[in-house]
Amino acid sequence: MSVLGWALPFVPAVAGGVLAVCGRRADRFAPGVALLVACVTLGLAIAAAVTRPVVRAPMFEGLPVGMAVDGPSAVMVVTVAGAALAVLVFAAGEPAVGEARARFFGLMLVFVGAMLVTVTATDLALLLMAWEVMGAMSYALIGFWWHEPERVRSANIAFLTTRAGDMGLYVAAGAALAGSGTLTLARLTEGRDPWVDLVAAGVVAAALGKSAQLPFSFWLSRAMAGPSPVSALLHSATMVAAGAYLLLRLEPLLAATGWAAPLVAWVGAATASLLGAVALAQTDLKQLLAASTCAQIGFMVMAAGVGAVAGGTAHLVAHAAVKSLLFLGAGAWLTALGTKDLSELHGAARRHRLVGITFAVGALALAGVPPLSLWITKDTVLTAAAEESTALYVVGLAAAVVAAAYAVKALAAVVRPADAATAFDTEQTGTRRVGPLENAPLPLLAVVAAGFGLVGIPAVWDAWNRLVGGPAEHAPAPVALAVSGGAALAAAYAAARLGPRVPRPSVSADWLHLERAVDLILTRPVLALADALARFDDKVVDGAVRSTATAGRRLAAVVDRGVEVPVDGIVRGIGRGVGHVGDLARRPQTGQVHTYYAQAAVLLMVLAVILLLVR
């Protein structure tokens, strides 16, 4: 049992680490190894979801760490492993002449291993470690084509933005130790005031940053600089989903504070509606899908705020299938046709039929069109929101309407017959074909994207509620489903009629100017402060050190002239005197007898004179 618990995250993590350091020699067989490891990981995930392993290990004195597969994490490990396998199959089929395949697949597997630890960790210490590894892997994968400066800059922005939010987890861990003396997730509510509030604040900041919620959303636009399989994995079941999952899992902590739950609910609702408007204004397919990820994650965050744990988890699973399907479709067209511009993709769905059909299923599910999955799962969240606040429900419903518009805008662009605007190879040279491995995962993902809404059937919903746990939730009422479904169909029809004439306000097209605002409000002042501190260091601190050294040299010079010179002169005079005496003493030493005799006679005469004078 415990072997299974350890093997689940560490099989992909260790295999990925080995592949990543093998170098270019392993490029040829890296895709095969990665697919084998992904298959094994999916098998381990299914076994863990059934057997529910629990593992513990000593790490800090009195604070052991551990992992456990309970109801919510059982759902997540299967979702993560399944999405990872689908994405890796697609990636294995992509032409990648000259690319570092071993490094790519190695990083992807480590990324998956870190996410599996994140969703099964039972304490903040292990969660923090996995959280950090996941952030580092996302940085390496977004900047995978490191020889292109703009992609590296995008990776830096994405990494630094999520790191700013990640600091919240450190605050939460410190506050948890101070307030309750434990890092166990299930006991975070046991701390004293104000420590519980600090724990909740740290968790909320970290989760909103990781899930690209307002005001952190812009980093997800930058993340599009990475390869398409990275986007598919990052947007579906890892990274951005991690923040929403953490909030759903810690829903009791949010509720215990009295302020965190409403805050989270409104941030989620605001993100769902505003980033939906951003998605609607995009002309690049991957940018549209990225903004839609922020918006759809907003529904999950809102679910955590209104206590809809089962509804939010269902939306997370359905969205993982939908978004990986759509990103893989966009990646297939980018590889084959060399563009992801919506106007240039006219006719793409007709040219590559399987990609087009499965993309259509995913887009209609994203639009919330009945009876597809996100129509049901989104309504489970809206039903709970309506019980909490009418205003919150109205904002959520408006966001659902916008979702229908942006999803159908993307679908209409690729379904429309080729016309004068259609153009290929404007971003890269296309291969004009979609390989068997690239096609392989699309039908299965389309089935899940279409059919996961069955979870909303009352009998199935009750079982899902028991599996996920959390507060008891009602299945969406028929009237509510009819309202949201009708609104989605109306918005979809309007978007299809308008096509490219959908208004594109500059503020929405530029992601609400969030990156500029952060640059103006935060980045520039911080850099200016750093520059001022650097000047202070150069002029004041370093200047003082240089002045002290100069004064020391001058004092030494004075000492040298006033004291050392006389003393040294005396010493040198004595030396010279002694030398002269020595010279004089050496002169009589001639070695000749007559000289010594004469010297003795002189000395005798001198002694005689002295005696006469003394007497």
Side-chain angles (χ1 to χ4, degrees):
M1 190 74 79
S2 59
V3 173
L4 177 59
W6 290 114
L8 175 61
F10 288 110
V11 164
V14 173
V18 172
L19 272 182
V21 300
C22 273
R24 303 303 301 269
R25 293 168 300 176
D27 284 350
R28 189 163 56 88
F29 57 83
V33 172
L35 290 185
L36 177 62
V37 172
C39 289
V40 171
T41 303
L42 180 57
L44 292 173
I46 294 172
V50 174
T51 59
R52 309 291 179 88
V54 177
V55 294
R56 292 280 186 276
M59 180 163 289
F60 309 111
E61 187 174 356
L63 294 171
V65 299
M67 295 179 288
V69 179
D70 53 9
S73 55
V75 173
M76 283 304 297
V77 294
V78 175
T79 303
V80 172
L85 177 59
V87 170
L88 290 177
V89 169
F90 179 90
E94 277 199 316
V97 179
E99 291 191 355
R101 300 282 273 173
R103 178 163 59 90
F104 175 78
F105 283 99
L107 293 174
M108 291 285 272
L109 288 174
V110 175
F111 194 31
V112 171
M115 184 63 186
L116 289 171
V117 175
T118 298
V119 300
T120 56
T122 58
D123 56 88
L124 276 175
L126 199 58
L127 178 67
L128 252 174
M129 295 176 196
W131 201 265
E132 292 286 7
V133 174
M134 193 164 49
M137 292 304 103
S138 69
Y139 168 73
L141 286 166
I142 294 169
F144 180 72
W145 292 311
W146 54 268
H147 48 281
E148 298 180 34
E150 187 55 30
R151 295 184 190 274
V152 175
R153 174 175 159 75
S154 294
N156 288 337
I157 290 174
F159 181 68
L160 292 175
T161 306
T162 54
R163 292 293 300 138
D166 291 348
M167 293 298 105
L169 269 191
Y170 289 92
V171 173
L177 281 176
S180 61
T182 180
L183 294 175
T184 304
L185 295 179
R187 297 177 57 192
L188 292 181
T189 57
E190 297 176 4
R192 307 181 305 274
D193 290 335
W195 299 113
V196 173
D197 294 308
L198 282 174
V199 174
V203 167
V204 168
L208 295 183
K210 213 65 156 183
S211 285
Q213 298 296 286
L214 289 172
F216 301 98
S217 308
F218 63 93
W219 76 260
L220 208 51
S221 170
R222 288 289 188 169
M224 293 302 95
S228 294
V230 173
S231 303
L233 188 59
L234 190 144
H235 285 250
S236 59
T238 61
M239 192 74 173
V240 291
Y245 173 76
L246 181 63
L247 292 177
L248 289 167
R249 187 166 179 171
L250 296 180
E251 185 272 337
L253 173 67
L254 304 180
T257 63
W259 59 265
L263 172 68
V264 162
W266 277 105
V267 170
T271 305
S273 53
L274 293 177
L275 269 295
V278 170
L280 191 58
Q282 301 304 307
T283 58
D284 180 291
L285 179 54
K286 286 184 70 174
Q287 288 292 327
L288 185 153
L289 294 177
S292 77
T293 297
C294 297
Q296 294 296 321
I297 295 287
F299 285 104
M300 303 168 207
V301 171
M302 183 167 63
V306 298
V309 177
T313 306
H315 196 66
L316 193 159
V317 175
H319 178 260
V322 169
K323 201 47 64 73
S324 54
L325 173 63
L326 293 175
F327 266 110
L328 293 184
W333 283 323
L334 179 59
T335 301
L337 306 178
T339 181
K340 48 188 171 59
D341 187 289
L342 285 172
S343 63
E344 296 172 351
L345 283 171
H346 291 175
R350 298 165 185 260
R351 190 181 181 100
H352 300 283
R353 294 294 178 89
L354 179 62
V355 179
I357 292 170
T358 54
F359 187 90
V361 172
L364 292 175
L366 184 65
V369 170
L372 303 177
S373 60
L374 291 183
W375 170 56
I376 301 288
T377 58
K378 199 179 299 174
D379 246 53
T380 61
V381 177
L382 292 179
T383 298
E387 295 172 357
E388 193 77 15
S389 161
T390 303
L392 194 63
Y393 170 76
V394 171
V395 175
L397 185 61
V401 171
V402 177
Y406 61 66
V408 171
K409 175 186 175 181
L411 178 61
V414 297
V415 168
R416 183 174 293 115
D419 53 23
T422 303
F424 300 149
D425 304 335
T426 55
E427 296 183 38
Q428 62 186 54
T429 303
T431 61
R432 302 294 185 273
R433 64 181 293 274
V434 178
L437 283 177
E438 292 172 278
N439 278 323
L442 303 182
L444 183 59
L445 288 172
V447 169
V448 179
F452 194 77
L454 292 173
V455 74
I457 295 174
V460 181
W461 181 251
D462 291 341
W464 178 261
N465 243 309
R466 290 193 297 274
L467 171 65
V468 175
E473 298 171 40
H474 302 296
V479 175
L481 286 171
V483 169
S484 65
L489 287 171
Y493 176 76
R497 292 277 297 178
L498 284 173
R501 290 173 295 160
V502 172
R504 297 182 61 244
S506 60
V507 65
S508 299
D510 192 34
W511 286 68
L512 308 178
H513 302 316
L514 287 172
E515 187 175 332
R516 292 187 193 184
V518 170
D519 183 57
L520 185 66
I521 297 171
L522 189 61
T523 308
R524 291 186 188 183
V526 168
L527 290 178
L529 177 62
D531 190 48
L533 290 174
R535 284 200 301 272
F536 177 80
D537 180 60
D538 288 341
K539 304 295 183 185
V540 179
V541 178
D542 196 38
V545 171
R546 284 197 300 267
S547 299
T548 303
T550 302
R553 284 197 302 272
R554 289 175 179 173
L555 178 61
V558 171
V559 170
D560 182 55
R561 288 194 299 270
V563 178
E564 288 195 16
V565 170
V567 173
D568 197 38
I570 293 171
V571 172
R572 283 197 297 269
I574 293 173
R576 283 195 297 268
V578 172
H580 290 314
V581 171
D583 290 339
L584 292 174
R586 282 198 302 272
R587 286 180 182 175
Q589 307 303 319
T590 63
Q592 297 176 353
V593 178
H594 66 277
T595 304
Y596 294 140
Y597 181 77
Q599 292 173 0
V602 171
L603 284 176
L604 182 61
M605 290 175 64
V606 170
L607 285 174
V609 172
I610 293 173
L611 286 173
L612 289 173
L613 292 175
V614 171
R615 290 177 71 182

